Amino acid sequence: MKRITAAAALLLAVSLSSCSSTAESESTSSQRAKRISSSPLDENLIGTWMDENHGYRFQDDRKVSLIADMSDTLHFSGNSVYFVSELDSVTDIEYDGTTLSIMFRYTDEVAQEYGISDNSSFELVTLERRDDPDPDSFDGEYSFTGGAYFENIAYTFGLEAEAMTASAVIDGESFIVTVEDYSDYEILGNFIEMFSEELEYVDETATAVRYTYSISDDGNTLTLTYDTGSTGEQTEAAAVETLRRVK
């Protein structure tokens, strides 16, 4: 079993549309009893924890948000935008200091080679600035409001785009995405369980995605181990992550 990141461990617990039909997913989630997190919270856990590429924000409202550094797929440099694409493409930016919209199309050469008859631009992503307008800089905090990139994030995490709230922080060539209030969480002994009515688990009898956790004595290091079995027994192949507290 290959190493699983914290976010990827959640993905493994979700039955994506490629693995089950939409009808099956809707039926399963609608029939699942609503679970309420009620056990005492661990105050030492509340906050943001990151490694180099991803992390969690454990909140005092019993929600957990997922954080990912997606700079490798999308970022800004000066007045230009970089978007990873297997084929040559063109991206155009529209920005008025508040709304940042990126349009995408393949180059004419690619369109001709692959027979893409309608090669008009489409909305890659649209972001709405959360902080004060700044027409001179892209840097800031934004809400996702639409676009294929946003829809792909929702699909990846097994959510409907209309039901997902996501934000992004642009800081130079850094592009950090947060899927806000992704699931609920509960502390049960040395376990963290994450759950949501919207998630479709690989195991139909499962009620949560489970990790064992420990926090270092200085309170700055969180170790998570993905629970690979319903008994809670760990294996050598279990994914172990080490995250640092973000002040």
Side-chain angles (χ1 to χ4, degrees):
M1 184 179 189
K2 63 182 180 181
R3 183 179 183 276
I4 311 169
T5 65
L10 279 173
L11 292 183
L12 289 180
V14 178
S15 177
L16 299 177
S17 59
S18 60
C19 302
S20 62
S21 70
T22 302
E24 290 173 337
S25 296
E26 291 176 351
S27 174
T28 303
S29 61
S30 63
Q31 293 176 8
R32 182 180 298 144
K34 182 174 178 61
R35 175 177 171 181
I36 304 297
S37 174
S38 59
S39 298
L41 295 175
D42 182 347
E43 296 295 330
N44 295 318
L45 179 65
I46 293 173
T48 300
W49 303 85
M50 295 286 296
D51 67 9
E52 292 181 358
N53 300 305
H54 80 283
Y56 289 120
R57 185 174 69 229
F58 292 98
Q59 302 162 193
D60 56 11
D61 62 358
R62 298 177 179 272
K63 298 288 186 181
V64 57
S65 297
L66 303 185
I67 306 170
D69 184 345
M70 303 186 73
S71 308
D72 286 347
T73 65
L74 178 69
H75 69 253
F76 299 84
S77 180
N79 295 322
S80 302
V81 60
Y82 167 84
F83 173 69
V84 63
S85 175
E86 293 182 358
L87 302 174
D88 290 340
S89 58
V90 176
T91 49
D92 296 312
I93 301 175
E94 297 179 6
Y95 181 56
D96 61 5
T98 299
T99 302
L100 174 56
S101 182
I102 303 171
M103 305 302 291
F104 172 94
R105 68 176 174 83
Y106 290 113
T107 62
D108 293 339
E109 292 78 7
V110 169
Q112 182 176 2
E113 180 179 355
Y114 288 87
I116 303 173
S117 56
D118 182 7
N119 197 36
S120 58
S121 296
F122 66 87
E123 180 187 14
L124 179 65
V125 65
T126 298
L127 302 164
E128 195 74 18
R129 197 176 186 97
R130 289 185 174 182
D131 39 15
D132 294 336
D134 185 354
D136 299 320
S137 175
F138 297 134
D139 288 0
E141 183 178 3
Y142 297 80
S143 296
F144 282 89
T145 61
Y149 187 86
F150 171 66
E151 293 172 359
N152 186 65
I153 293 173
Y155 173 81
T156 299
F157 287 98
L159 299 173
E160 295 292 335
E162 296 79 7
M164 184 182 76
T165 300
S167 61
V169 173
I170 300 172
D171 183 9
E173 296 188 0
S174 172
F175 189 68
I176 308 298
V177 174
T178 299
V179 179
E180 300 179 348
D181 296 348
Y182 178 73
S183 71
D184 297 273
Y185 75 97
E186 187 160 25
I187 305 301
L188 300 171
N190 65 332
F191 288 100
I192 299 172
E193 291 194 351
M194 301 182 194
F195 54 90
S196 168
E197 294 175 85
E198 304 302 321
L199 296 182
E200 299 298 330
Y201 307 108
V202 173
D203 181 353
E204 294 182 357
T205 64
T207 60
V209 182
R210 191 180 232 205
Y211 304 87
T212 57
Y213 82 102
S214 63
I215 299 174
S216 62
D217 292 340
D218 63 7
N220 292 322
T221 303
L222 170 65
T223 301
L224 294 175
T225 304
Y226 177 59
D227 182 1
T228 58
S230 59
T231 63
E233 180 181 352
Q234 304 301 328
T235 70
E236 291 183 0
V240 179
E241 299 177 76
T242 301
L243 303 102
R244 298 288 295 175
R245 184 184 292 279
V246 177
K247 302 294 185 182

